[in-house]
Amino acid sequence: MKVVLQRVLKSSVTIDGEIVASIGNGIMVLLGIVNDDTKEDINWLTKKIVNMRIFNDDNGVMNDSILDVDGEVVVVSQFTLHASTKKGNRPSYIRAAKPDIAIPLYESFISQLEIDLGKKVQTGIFGADMKLALVNDGPVTIIVDSKNKE
């Protein structure tokens, strides 16, 4: 399971011209799932996200977590995070989990993140053609992969 975390001042997800998710200060999470991802990956990753100190404290140093700043979170499924670009110029997405595996893990990830965060998480719609808008704050963009814990 891989995520791209983007610290944002605001972010939204639009599908067919309709805004389906919108947050202010917080994190946009792009989530990629592979076939061998498990509940263990979800638990490790959601705890990592809510405790990661990527927000500035009163001294302008990144010492605060999303919990410390009472920020919001939006999660968007992103199978292209697992693209293989080794051969040719057309990425291969063979590592990305198919919907029958990915959707239950995506939903479980969101549920666990809401528990760890202590509030509702905004989301896109799995598999939809989404348009994302965000103001990246910093910019701060962090990639975390549950398969690289050590």
Side-chain angles (χ1 to χ4, degrees):
M1 199 166 278
K2 185 184 292 188
V3 293
V4 173
L5 308 175
Q6 295 185 79
R7 186 178 78 181
V8 298
L9 295 175
K10 63 181 178 178
S11 180
S12 64
V13 180
T14 302
I15 300 172
D16 294 330
E18 179 184 340
I19 295 175
V20 297
S22 180
I23 65 167
N25 184 51
I27 301 173
M28 171 170 270
V29 178
L30 305 177
L31 172 67
I33 299 168
V34 293
N35 288 328
D36 62 348
D37 285 330
T38 66
K39 182 71 172 162
E40 194 174 296
D41 293 293
I42 291 168
N43 291 336
W44 182 84
L45 203 49
T46 59
K47 285 179 185 27
K48 182 65 90 174
I49 291 167
V50 300
N51 291 299
M52 189 164 294
R53 300 181 323 174
I54 60 172
F55 291 88
N56 294 347
D57 63 14
D58 293 337
N59 297 316
V61 178
M62 285 196 284
N63 273 328
D64 289 344
S65 71
I66 190 81
L67 297 171
D68 297 323
V69 300
D70 194 30
E72 300 177 283
V73 176
V74 61
V75 177
V76 175
S77 61
Q78 184 76 49
F79 75 92
T80 61
L81 290 181
H82 292 289
S84 174
T85 58
K86 288 181 181 178
K87 291 170 54 175
N89 292 317
R90 184 169 188 247
S92 168
Y93 305 108
I94 197 151
R95 290 197 58 233
K98 302 287 185 254
D100 61 320
I101 292 172
I103 291 171
L105 289 169
Y106 170 77
E107 291 170 350
S108 183
F109 176 88
I110 292 163
S111 296
Q112 186 62 51
L113 187 56
E114 288 178 338
I115 290 167
D116 293 345
L117 189 60
K119 66 168 77 171
K120 183 89 172 116
V121 170
Q122 298 283 317
T123 67
I125 297 175
F126 188 95
D129 180 14
M130 296 175 270
K131 308 303 178 208
L132 309 180
L134 64 112
V135 177
N136 192 317
D137 182 22
V140 174
T141 302
I142 308 287
I143 300 168
V144 184
D145 190 331
S146 66
K147 303 302 188 232
N148 295 325
K149 295 176 191 165
E150 315 258 330

